[in-house]
Amino acid sequence: MSYIIANLLFVAVLCLWFLSCVVAYAQQGSAATDACTSTDSSLERARLLGMPQAIETQNAEFENDNFWNEHGSLIQQAWKEWEMEHATTLSDFDNDVKEQEGWVNSSLLKAIIDAFTNPSEESEAAVKSLWTNNSKGTSNQVMPKGVYATQLLSPRGISYLRNLLELASESGIPTRRPNGMNRHGMILDSDVHGAVPVQPIVKIVEEIIDRIARPVGRMLFQDRIGCEDDVDYYAFTISYDGTTTNTRSIQSKDMELKEHRDASVVTLNINLNLPEENYGGSEVFFRGYPPAESWSSSDLFASNSKDEEDGGGTVTFSPGMAIIHLGSHRHGSLPINSAHSNSNSEGKQPNDGKRFNLVIWLFGTLGDVRIAPYSKDEQLSASQR
């Protein structure tokens, strides 16, 4: 009997020992798994968050706001890590366009530098002459009243910006929708949660603002912009896609933009399509130019006239072309379609049927947007502009 009990005790001890080994092994495996899946990398943690879906096409400025407030700091840190990882590639891009004249219209840049160096009505007139308005110029089209156009970027400049933006879009880091109407694109800013703060991109945006958008806006709209009205900016990219015919796909794309005003005193809108990328439609339409003479506070909510005799019209972008206009000038974008929708052209490009633009809004401190015009004696002098 004692022999049987001893054997049973031995078996029990053996079972307990085996069970403890199994538990220990499982714990070790769990720890190893945790070590593989957990990370201190902000970049990897940000990539695991996933991209919040942008759905609404109007008044959606605060869509998914809780997500961006909760994860904004993590995402900004992730971009710093990403930028360090891609330092060599970003440097290579920068070296390709080191000379500013290589990516910007050199004639325009020279005229602006001359106006800075020798401010006068004459030097400003040379700048203004390079912006088409109410006469055939850029792309041989007549601009609506109050809308000015120029050939701003060279193919080299477009390619530089597109390469930077494409590299950033492939980062896997969540990015916030560009504004309350457009769903596809990116905010370009060092401080906004959900924006792309990559320094080469922010640097080129701020260069465009300081060298072109701000001084040209002040020259062309002297009665609308004072020295404190355009000190801050909001920059973003937008993308329109006319390549799909499936109903569900169409609903998820931005194909047009409803009539609206911008939250800016002045807007610079630059086309980023490469010369070989074609699309149809997508003209920007403008209503009548908001007059200064009869301005009142109620004009903020009124619709501008649709009639072309009141200054309205449409603008068709060409690669590298920029337009500048008052933010209060009502406008929108007509539907886009694929340039090759009914053909199997051998020359078709991957981005045919799409339009890409960089948009820059200028406004005052804390988002202040001045609408009321300035009297003649209140306007900035050439040296102040």
Side-chain angles (χ1 to χ4, degrees):
M1 183 68 176
S2 60
Y3 173 77
I4 295 174
I5 292 174
N7 278 316
L8 289 174
L9 286 173
F10 174 76
V11 172
V13 169
L14 187 63
C15 289
L16 288 172
W17 173 81
F18 178 75
L19 182 61
S20 66
C21 288
V22 171
V23 171
Y25 179 80
Q27 289 176 338
Q28 288 178 352
S30 177
T33 301
D34 289 343
C36 291
T37 57
S38 65
T39 176
D40 291 329
S41 166
S42 296
L43 178 56
E44 293 306 317
R45 288 162 58 200
R47 285 170 170 163
L48 292 172
L49 293 174
M51 179 80 80
Q53 188 174 8
I55 300 173
E56 301 301 327
T57 56
Q58 290 191 43
N59 305 316
E61 290 84 354
F62 300 105
E63 188 177 44
N64 301 311
D65 204 38
N66 290 338
F67 176 91
W68 301 113
N69 290 335
E70 180 181 353
H71 302 294
S73 297
L74 169 67
I75 290 171
Q76 287 181 322
Q77 186 59 42
W79 278 114
K80 291 179 181 178
E81 291 183 14
W82 180 89
E83 195 166 344
M84 291 177 64
E85 284 188 5
H86 292 80
T88 300
T89 303
L90 294 173
S91 178
D92 289 343
F93 284 164
D94 192 47
N95 290 335
D96 286 342
V97 197
K98 267 195 171 179
E99 294 299 323
Q100 197 173 49
E101 289 79 3
W103 60 272
V104 173
N105 180 335
S106 58
S107 298
L108 176 62
L109 187 61
K110 182 180 182 299
I112 292 174
I113 292 173
D114 288 344
F116 269 118
T117 307
N118 303 297
S120 66
E121 295 295 334
E122 291 74 20
S123 61
E124 288 191 353
V127 176
K128 294 177 185 178
S129 70
L130 297 171
W131 291 81
T132 301
N133 176 250
N134 283 345
S135 60
K136 289 189 176 182
T138 302
S139 298
N140 199 35
Q141 57 183 317
V142 178
M143 294 292 109
K145 182 179 179 181
V147 181
Y148 300 83
T150 194
Q151 184 61 38
L152 181 60
L153 299 180
S154 67
R156 188 180 182 188
I158 300 169
S159 180
Y160 174 58
L161 268 170
R162 285 282 297 277
N163 285 337
L164 285 173
L165 293 168
E166 184 174 349
L167 187 65
S169 70
E170 295 171 351
S171 68
I173 302 173
T175 54
R176 193 168 193 158
R177 62 181 299 155
N179 56 59
M181 299 180 74
N182 293 95
R183 294 172 294 179
H184 299 278
M186 300 182 291
I187 304 170
L188 310 176
D189 195 279
S190 297
D191 302 314
V192 175
H193 284 169
V196 175
V198 176
Q199 284 309 295
I201 298 177
V202 173
K203 180 181 176 182
I204 198 170
V205 166
E206 294 183 345
E207 192 77 19
I208 291 172
I209 292 169
D210 293 339
R211 295 271 185 170
I212 297 164
R214 188 176 291 119
V216 170
R218 291 181 178 187
M219 292 178 199
L220 295 175
F221 304 105
Q222 297 178 19
D223 63 333
R224 307 298 180 100
I225 304 175
C227 62
E228 298 296 324
D229 298 330
D230 55 1
V231 294
D232 208 348
Y233 76 88
Y234 183 78
F236 54 92
T237 63
I238 52 177
S239 172
Y240 296 99
D241 189 342
T243 60
T244 57
T245 55
N246 178 275
T247 303
R248 181 173 296 181
S249 297
I250 288 175
Q251 290 174 346
S252 68
K253 303 290 185 181
D254 286 337
M255 300 185 69
E256 62 182 322
L257 191 64
K258 301 299 184 183
E259 183 178 329
H260 65 284
R261 285 185 172 93
D262 294 337
S264 67
V265 64
V266 68
T267 294
L268 182 70
N269 191 341
I270 310 167
N271 181 254
L272 298 182
N273 279 70
L274 295 167
E276 62 270 19
E277 294 172 344
N278 302 301
Y279 62 88
S282 201
E283 299 90 349
V284 180
F285 66 85
F286 286 86
R287 301 313 189 194
Y289 182 69
E293 303 78 25
S294 58
W295 184 90
S296 69
S297 58
S298 62
D299 289 346
L300 182 62
F301 305 100
S303 296
N304 302 138
S305 170
K306 298 181 181 181
D307 299 332
E308 289 193 8
E309 55 264 31
D310 289 335
T314 60
V315 177
T316 301
F317 277 112
S318 58
M321 172 181 160
I323 61 173
I324 192 167
H325 60 86
L326 293 176
S328 60
H329 196 163
R330 296 189 68 86
H331 61 285
S333 291
L334 298 174
I336 190 172
N337 59 74
S338 173
H340 295 284
S341 58
N342 296 316
S343 69
N344 293 315
S345 172
E346 292 181 0
K348 183 176 180 180
Q349 299 296 315
N351 284 318
D352 274 355
K354 299 178 182 179
R355 174 160 73 85
F356 305 96
N357 280 62
L358 167 63
V359 180
I360 299 171
W361 292 347
L362 297 185
F363 43 78
T365 306
L366 301 177
D368 182 56
V369 177
R370 181 185 174 95
I371 303 296
Y374 288 95
S375 63
K376 189 70 176 177
D377 59 349
E378 293 177 314
Q379 295 174 21
L380 300 177
S381 64
S383 59
Q384 289 173 319
R385 288 192 287 270

